[in-house]
Amino acid sequence: MEVKKKLSIADLIANADKIKARKAETRELYVKSLNATVTIVKPSRAAVLDSYEIGEGAGNSYLVYECVTEPSFKDTALQAAYNATGYEVLDQILDSGEIDSIAKEIIGFAGYGTDSVSVVEDVKN
């Protein structure tokens, strides 16, 4: 059985730049209906909590709207072209299942619903 290292303040300080950089990571997602990729960024905890508060359907749209950085769905010219404001523009551009799939990828990218944390059990001889 692998022994897990105990995290210390010194480790956190030594790795501060690496940890901060991880928060700003991006990923490319391929969107089939557009035959192109979009860039997502990890959501803040506040954005995830806001999306949960809004509710599953609109909350997913909110999360995609906030976390897709390229192209920016916040662009006013884009919204004018589709005659939609805010995250309503997503319904004009993406298939509804794609919005939910992108939101799921964003949530997973931030570590929600994954096995990124586990219980360490004591082994007794």
Side-chain angles (χ1 to χ4, degrees):
M1 178 176 202
E2 180 184 344
V3 177
K4 304 293 182 189
K5 176 183 174 183
K6 184 81 169 176
L7 183 63
S8 70
I9 296 295
D11 292 333
L12 289 173
I13 292 169
N15 292 312
D17 290 337
K18 270 195 239 178
I19 292 169
K20 288 176 189 175
R22 267 196 341 247
K23 297 279 187 183
E25 285 180 51
T26 61
R27 279 191 186 161
E28 296 290 313
L29 301 178
Y30 176 74
V31 180
K32 189 174 182 177
S33 70
L34 301 175
N35 193 29
T37 64
V38 297
T39 304
I40 62 169
V41 66
K42 285 184 179 179
S44 67
R45 186 170 187 268
V48 172
L49 293 175
D50 287 346
S51 74
Y52 287 162
E53 190 173 300
I54 293 168
E56 190 172 343
N60 284 348
S61 293
Y62 169 81
L63 204 54
V64 170
Y65 184 76
E66 291 296 319
C67 296
V68 172
T69 58
E70 230 10 84
S72 174
F73 293 117
K74 296 177 181 179
D75 185 88
T76 54
L78 176 69
Q79 292 184 12
Y82 284 91
N83 196 28
T85 58
Y87 56 77
E88 295 170 352
V89 73
L90 298 175
D91 290 329
Q92 303 295 319
I93 298 171
L94 299 167
D95 292 339
S96 58
E98 289 171 334
I99 295 170
D100 294 340
S101 293
I102 294 169
K104 183 178 177 182
E105 289 294 328
I106 292 167
I107 292 290
F109 190 28
Y112 291 85
T114 65
D115 60 352
S116 60
V117 176
S118 60
V119 174
V120 177
E121 297 191 27
D122 290 332
V123 177
K124 296 182 181 183
N125 292 336

